[in-house]
Amino acid sequence: MKLIVGLGNPGPEYALTRHNIGFLVLEELARAKGIKFKKNGRFNALVSEGIIKREKVFLAMPQTFMNLSGNSVRLMFNWLKIGSEDMFVVVDDIALPFGSIRIRPEGSSGGHNGLNSVIDSIGCQEFPRMRIGILGRKNVKGLSNYVLARFTKTEQKGLPEILRTASQACECWIREGVNATMNRFNKYKGVG
């Protein structure tokens, strides 16, 4: 059993914002595999289950706000009774150029409040994660406003390729593990 968690904020007002790229990746993966999400009150998340690459996979998008994502993740993590190496978290990263991908087997939150919440809630930072760059320009004033803003029209044009590539990285992680996924996808520099 594998758990893939995309982090973001619930509600239509956040749907195409930079901070929600974790949700967008999971939506792309589910669409590609014909898997549907359902609201799950027990976990306070949108969840789906399916078989991907002959592995049972649980996809989840916590419906808490980003800073409280760990509350939902902890409930799923404990219920599934998996090890932290079987959980893959997908998040945005303001320090990376737009669309670039960085996969790591473990590490700190790097200042990301959603990752910090997950780390605090499950009590460890030894879980694989994929960071997707959202930095589309050199100077960002008002970090919070930037990450909560919608993608620009130019960024939206590049999103399908980025989401498709990140979705493929999730599949690679399921099939081949974190090291192979890092070797293949950390080279991806986004579009443009």
Side-chain angles (χ1 to χ4, degrees):
M1 168 67 79
K2 303 287 187 189
L3 169 62
I4 302 178
V5 180
L7 299 188
N9 286 310
E13 66 272 30
Y14 297 107
L16 265 180
T17 62
R18 294 178 180 100
H19 221 18
N20 273 33
I21 203 159
F23 281 8
L24 296 173
V25 170
L26 261 67
E27 288 167 356
E28 172 62 20
L29 178 59
R31 184 202 59 74
K33 296 301 171 190
I35 301 170
K36 302 283 185 217
F37 282 97
K38 295 179 191 161
K39 178 76 173 149
N40 183 304
R42 168 194 245 178
F43 303 132
N44 195 11
L46 293 174
V47 301
S48 65
E49 291 181 68
I51 304 295
I52 301 176
K53 304 296 181 189
R54 294 191 291 234
E55 179 82 43
K56 189 165 184 178
V57 180
F58 197 84
L59 305 178
M61 297 185 291
Q63 296 298 287
T64 58
F65 282 88
M66 180 69 80
N67 298 357
L68 301 173
S69 298
N71 296 341
S72 174
V73 172
R74 182 184 67 250
L75 294 171
M76 290 180 274
F77 185 76
N78 291 341
W79 183 75
L80 293 169
K81 295 180 174 65
I82 58 172
S84 60
E85 70 281 357
D86 292 320
M87 179 175 73
F88 194 57
V89 178
V90 183
V91 299
D92 62 290
D93 192 325
I94 188 68
L96 293 174
F98 179 72
S100 62
I101 291 175
R102 291 296 171 275
I103 297 160
R104 298 284 182 260
E106 60 184 47
S108 72
S109 70
H112 191 286
N113 290 333
L115 269 181
N116 196 47
S117 176
V118 172
I119 290 167
D120 285 349
S121 293
I122 68 167
C124 80
Q125 57 186 20
E126 291 80 27
F127 57 87
R129 75 278 315 266
M130 174 168 46
R131 295 175 182 262
I132 302 170
I134 59 168
L135 185 60
R137 57 181 185 243
K138 292 187 183 207
N139 297 318
V140 173
K141 294 179 183 172
L143 188 62
S144 180
N145 288 337
Y146 182 79
V147 300
L148 294 176
R150 292 188 180 275
F151 292 105
T152 65
K153 287 194 185 333
T154 302
E155 290 170 342
Q156 286 182 38
K157 286 179 187 171
L159 267 181
E161 180 186 325
I162 294 162
L163 297 178
R164 193 169 39 254
T165 302
S167 173
Q168 291 166 355
C170 291
E171 287 190 63
C172 183
W173 172 76
I174 292 165
R175 184 180 62 248
E176 300 178 40
V178 71
N179 290 330
T181 307
M182 286 168 53
N183 288 338
R184 185 173 312 157
F185 291 92
N186 281 354
K187 299 170 189 161
Y188 185 72
K189 301 296 182 201
V191 294

